[in-house]
Amino acid sequence: PTPTPSLARAFAFAFAPRALRRGARVATLSSARAPQIVAARSSSFIAFQETSPSEKDDDAMAAAATQTTLAHSVDRYGGVIVDADALPDTADAFAAALASSIARWKATGVRGVWLKIPAKRAELVGVAVHDGGFEFHHAEKTHAMLTRWLPTDEDDLLPPNASHQVGVGAFVTNGAGDVLLVQERRGPAAAASRPNFWKLPTGLVDCGEDIPSAAIREVMEETGVAVEFEAILGIRHGHDVAFGKSDLFFLVALKLADGAEDAAITIQEQELAAAAWKPLREMTHNPHIMPNSHMDHMYGLCAKYAREGRLASGIGMGWQSLPLGLNRDGTVVTYSNAPTREVMGKGGEEEEEE
């Protein structure tokens, strides 16, 4: 929408001098006929403001500059997401467009702003933080995500960065009842510092990866053993683990793939010092495991599961992939003690009539 002439002039005096100093290119199309079009341009943004031939050029140029808005989409919560692929070509042009965009978004009731800056445009980060009032939200190898909450009369309701890392531990046994154990090459469990510490294969879950898939992948990568998912035996939840983040750790029971009774081991030498099939007792009675600790409990779950199986022991959650719901496409994985579509609040077993 086009602001009133008085509002446009007010914004013009506030913002135009800085925009012009920073190199915003403003072009005026003059004609003897009725209202003119004033365009404030950069390589990636353009906005138009009607003005009359009688207005002064500097007022028209400033009013046009205030109408340039960074390309963006509107999210479902009254915020905007700036298009990372359409950022202005220079830091000066970006600063001018960002200032006018924030003014416009405030005036139209926008609440949160998400600004993704690609690594190749890292020079814009300082402009956004120091000039635009943005805060760091998170960073990936390819980009930094910045945010700004615009309302001044309510608390910032933008969701925080991811709070957890997620890991898996793999409990694998062969036909003889031996368990697959490894010795780490580096880290707190390294064989150099704990020569008798044989432990389960462990690793972190990749973004977009399901828990069973992560456990299967880790075993294959570290030991070359092909396995299949059986159950989730337990979950550990800790805090202040990695750079202040919390930690979720899933203990996963796996079996050798295709009904195999045994499997050869090929270690990943970059991560492991050794790997072997060991008697279960070497895991549960390892001297490095503190009695009554969380690890002692986790290994106890493994031992009970190995001796009695899932049904008899009552240990272990299965998984199933279910529709996302809320009229959205896609599926999500759920973990439970009853991984069946027969257990539903609606659509499964018929509800009893009242």
Side-chain angles (χ1 to χ4, degrees):
T2 301
T4 62
S6 60
L7 181 60
R9 283 193 291 272
F11 275 119
F13 285 111
F15 293 105
R18 179 183 182 189
L20 295 175
R21 284 198 306 271
R22 289 183 173 274
R25 300 195 300 275
V26 182
T28 303
L29 307 179
S30 61
S31 170
R33 294 188 298 274
Q36 309 295 308
I37 297 297
V38 178
R41 298 173 176 266
S42 82
S43 62
S44 56
F45 60 89
I46 181 168
F48 297 94
Q49 163 74 37
E50 281 196 9
T51 183
S52 65
S54 62
E55 290 183 282
K56 293 181 180 180
D57 285 346
D58 57 347
D59 283 349
M61 292 165 64
T66 65
Q67 295 306 299
T68 58
T69 304
L70 292 168
H72 63 276
S73 60
V74 179
D75 66 25
R76 296 180 294 172
Y77 302 96
V80 298
I81 304 171
V82 177
D83 186 350
D85 295 324
L87 297 174
D89 288 341
T90 67
D92 289 339
F94 171 72
L98 185 62
S100 59
S101 297
I102 290 173
R104 188 176 183 86
W105 289 332
K106 284 183 175 180
T108 55
V110 170
R111 304 174 81 212
V113 181
W114 295 87
L115 175 59
K116 178 181 177 181
I117 299 181
K120 63 183 179 181
R121 302 301 313 279
E123 76 278 6
L124 303 183
V125 172
V127 176
V129 172
H130 298 301
D131 295 349
F134 280 76
E135 298 177 338
F136 289 101
H137 187 269
H138 68 271
E140 302 286 351
K141 291 182 178 180
T142 58
H143 68 271
M145 180 66 79
L146 310 180
T147 61
R148 179 170 173 183
W149 182 251
L150 298 183
T152 58
D153 57 350
E154 58 180 295
D155 292 336
D156 185 344
L157 299 180
L158 290 175
N161 182 24
S163 59
H164 287 67
Q165 69 173 15
V166 182
V168 291
F171 176 61
V172 186
T173 56
N174 60 16
D178 293 330
V179 59
L180 180 62
L181 299 177
V182 302
Q183 285 188 312
E184 301 282 356
R185 183 173 293 278
R186 298 176 180 84
S193 58
R194 301 174 188 263
N196 297 318
F197 191 9
W198 289 87
K199 58 181 283 294
L200 299 178
T202 58
L204 294 177
V205 179
D206 291 336
C207 183
E209 187 176 36
D210 295 326
I211 301 300
S213 299
I216 291 170
R217 173 184 54 77
E218 282 292 339
V219 172
M220 173 57 71
E221 288 179 355
E222 292 190 357
T223 69
V225 175
V227 293
E228 299 173 354
F229 174 79
E230 281 198 312
I232 292 176
L233 303 184
I235 304 170
R236 180 196 70 205
H237 192 195
H239 304 287
D240 198 19
V241 175
F243 301 101
K245 298 297 183 182
S246 298
D247 174 79
L248 280 171
F249 177 85
F250 289 78
L251 179 60
V252 183
L254 304 163
K255 63 181 179 180
L256 294 178
D258 302 322
E261 292 293 313
D262 200 3
I265 296 173
T266 304
I267 70 168
Q268 184 183 43
E269 295 184 356
Q270 184 179 3
E271 294 189 21
L272 299 184
W277 294 103
K278 294 280 188 177
L280 186 63
R281 185 177 177 83
E282 290 201 25
M283 178 190 75
T284 58
H285 289 72
N286 192 294
H288 296 288
I289 302 300
M290 181 185 299
N292 300 315
S293 66
H294 82 276
M295 188 67 75
D296 193 16
H297 175 63
M298 287 286 196
Y299 282 2
L301 292 173
C302 292
K304 186 174 178 62
Y305 184 86
R307 289 193 303 264
E308 302 175 14
R310 178 177 171 186
L311 294 179
S313 67
I315 298 174
M317 293 187 294
W319 73 282
Q320 59 179 330
S321 181
L322 296 171
L324 186 60
L326 298 176
N327 297 317
R328 292 179 290 173
D329 295 331
T331 60
V332 292
V333 173
T334 62
Y335 306 96
S336 70
N337 289 321
T340 170
R341 297 196 180 207
E342 294 179 359
V343 181
M344 297 285 178
K346 58 188 297 186
E349 297 179 358
E350 295 184 2
E351 300 179 9
E352 294 182 4
E353 294 185 2
E354 296 183 357

